[in-house]
Structures are given as C-alpha cells and as structure tokens.
C-alpha cells in the first residue's frame, strides 16, 4: 500500500514537472508583439539619438546605419538567449519522458 502511494506521488510530481516545462517552452515562443516591440525600440533609439545629436542630420545615412547595426546586434543577442532557453526547455521535456 505504501509503495502504491509513493508511486502515485512520484507520478503526480513528474506530471507537474512536465507541465511546468511545457508552459516554459510555450511562453518562449516568438509572438508578433515581440516583433513590434523590437521594431519600435529600434525606431525609438534612432529618434532619440537624432534628437540628442542634431549633427546626425548632416550625414544621416551613416549614423542611422551604425545605430541600426548596433540595434540588430543587441536584438540578435536577445533572440539567441531566448532560443537557447527554449531549446533547454524542450530538452527538459524530452529527457524526462519514459
């Protein structure tokens, strides 16, 4: 009887872990809101730097290009972190299956 209780408890705990890993995996899925937020933040950075340094208007293409390159690098870094977290969650889901 005690063995059955322990097995049932273990099964419930394993199901809870699986649900938690699945929720983490689904929360890290890319959405259109994150794409819009990245676009708006890049635009905000360009406008902010243009407001702070008016000389950007004399050669806007070069400065805007440099700003966008840095913004893309920052965005790629964040996306890589998010993708790696999602891969870790998927690995946790797959490695605990019997």
């Amino acid at each position: 009887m005690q063995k059955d209780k322990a097995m049932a408890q273990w099964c419930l705990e394993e199901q809870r872990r699986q649900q938690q890993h699945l929720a983490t995996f689904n929360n890290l899925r890319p959405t259109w809101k994150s794409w819009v937020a990245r676009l708006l933040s890049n635009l905000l950075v360009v406008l902010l730097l243009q407001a702070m340094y008016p000389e950007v208007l004399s050669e806007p293409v070069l400065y805007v290009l440099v700003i966008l390159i840095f913004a893309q690098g920052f965005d790629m870094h964040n996306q890589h972190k998010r993708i790696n977290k999602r891969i870790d969650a998927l690995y946790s889901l797959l490695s605990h299956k019997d």
Side-chain angles (χ1 to χ4, degrees), residues 34 37-45 65-83:
S34 64
R38 286 193 314 266
L39 180 68
L40 290 177
S41 67
N42 287 343
L43 183 63
L44 182 66
V45 166
L65 186 62
V66 169
I67 292 167
L68 289 177
I69 288 170
F70 281 115
Q72 279 301 108
F74 180 72
D75 185 43
M76 285 178 58
H77 174 72
N78 285 336
Q79 289 301 316
H80 284 285
K81 282 180 20 182
R82 187 177 185 94
I83 289 169

Side-chain angles (χ1 to χ4, degrees), residues 45-46 49-50 53-71:
V45 166
V46 169
L49 288 174
Q50 195 172 31
Y53 303 105
E55 65 269 7
V56 171
L57 293 176
S58 63
E59 292 201 32
V61 175
L62 180 62
Y63 286 109
V64 169
L65 186 62
V66 169
I67 292 167
L68 289 177
I69 288 170
F70 281 115

